[in-house]
Amino acid sequence: MNNKILYIGIILLIISLQACNQSSSESLSKKDAVLSVIHERKSVRNFVKDRPVSKEDIEMLLRAGMAAPSGKNVQAWEFVVIDDRSTLDKMAAELPTAKMLAEAPMAIVVCGDTVRQSYWYLDCAAATENILLAVEASGLGAVWTAAYPYRDRMNTVIKYTELPPQILPLVVIPVGHPMGKHSPKDKYDEKKVHMNKW
Ligand SMILES: Cc1cc2nc3c(=O)[nH]c(=O)nc-3n(C[C@H](O)[C@H](O)[C@H](O)COP(=O)(O)O)c2cc1C
């Protein structure tokens, strides 16, 4: 009888050790995967013009954006997806730092509700970075192009997207399949790190 209990105990111990081992190797690979996406992310400004981004990928990017942290969980973001060629071309012509829209098959405009949240741009910046990381993880390319805080650029975006008055555009993200080679920059700088005090 005692031997039977000992035998069952040993089996349970082996099972729980195996489960422990599996979960620590899973979390190690999750860490590696996340860090690799963070460090591989780079701005991509050249795209295969005629290769569209799939509907599934667009939804995946929007879901990633909306998974971002948000002040008081207000989620002050709104997203405008642009895949109309003529709109992309007109915006490229008018936005001085978003000329690559002329090559991109689509763009996501991340906008904020200025009435619901005074610091809407913080929620929207977090959502934008999430989208850029999801872009990197799926082999697509994208770049943050600034609308806010430039009044002229915001007006151009508002004109083409017909945003209501309380909604402002933070960023236009051209997205597509990358053309050519793009490499991440190593920006780590020890001098920017201050321990306890400056
Ligand atoms: C607030 C902000 C505004 C930016 N605006 C533009 C822009 O208007 N046009 C552009 O081509 N890139 C823009 N960028 C992308 C930066 O130029 C780019 O992130 C930087 O050069 C570092 O390169 P990396 O993204 O490859 O690491 C912007 C990035 C940020 C965070």
Side-chain angles (χ1 to χ4, degrees):
M1 183 64 179
N2 275 351
N3 272 357
K4 206 172 176 186
I5 292 173
L6 184 68
Y7 181 65
I8 292 171
I10 290 171
I11 290 181
L12 288 175
L13 184 69
I14 291 171
I15 291 172
S16 63
L17 282 175
Q18 275 179 340
C20 233
N21 203 17
Q22 195 180 349
S23 91
S24 85
S25 71
E26 266 170 21
S27 70
L28 189 68
S29 66
K30 185 175 172 185
K31 176 182 162 189
D32 288 348
V34 169
L35 287 177
S36 137
V37 170
I38 289 173
H39 290 293
E40 281 299 310
R41 187 215 54 82
K42 68 288 242 171
S43 294
V44 169
R45 297 182 175 85
N46 300 101
F47 306 99
V48 183
K49 186 170 176 173
D50 299 322
R51 189 167 166 202
V53 177
S54 70
K55 279 199 168 63
E56 293 74 23
D57 276 347
I58 295 172
E59 184 179 327
M60 176 273 299
L61 296 178
L62 296 169
R63 284 180 179 278
M66 291 186 224
S70 151
K72 297 183 187 157
N73 200 20
V74 164
Q75 303 168 34
W77 44 60
E78 301 283 338
F79 301 86
V80 181
V81 176
I82 306 177
D83 66 356
D84 176 63
R85 184 72 266 152
S86 132
T87 305
L88 292 165
D89 289 344
K90 284 183 203 151
M91 286 174 68
E94 288 183 43
L95 291 170
T97 62
K99 297 292 167 206
M100 67 297 277
L101 283 168
E103 279 182 36
M106 57 119 8
I108 298 173
V109 185
V110 183
C111 310
D113 191 322
T114 60
V115 171
R116 291 188 63 227
Q117 182 58 282
S118 56
Y119 48 88
W120 57 275
Y121 43 82
L122 300 179
D123 285 13
C124 294
T128 299
E129 177 66 359
N130 266 16
I131 291 173
L132 294 177
L133 292 175
V135 160
E136 176 65 42
S138 29
L140 294 164
V143 57
W144 177 318
T145 73
Y148 184 87
Y150 306 98
R151 197 66 241 187
D152 54 337
R153 297 188 207 173
M154 288 196 288
N155 284 343
T156 298
V157 177
I158 289 165
K159 178 174 70 179
Y160 288 112
T161 54
E162 300 181 8
L163 299 179
Q166 80 276 14
I167 306 293
L168 286 184
L170 178 83
V171 45
V172 180
I173 313 174
V175 185
H177 294 269
M179 169 95 104
K181 189 172 157 43
H182 302 83
S183 304
K185 305 166 182 68
D186 181 4
K187 303 192 194 101
Y188 184 72
D189 180 354
E190 252 179 18
K191 292 196 290 298
K192 305 240 176 199
V193 183
H194 312 276
M195 288 299 290
N196 296 317
K197 290 182 181 170
W198 188 276

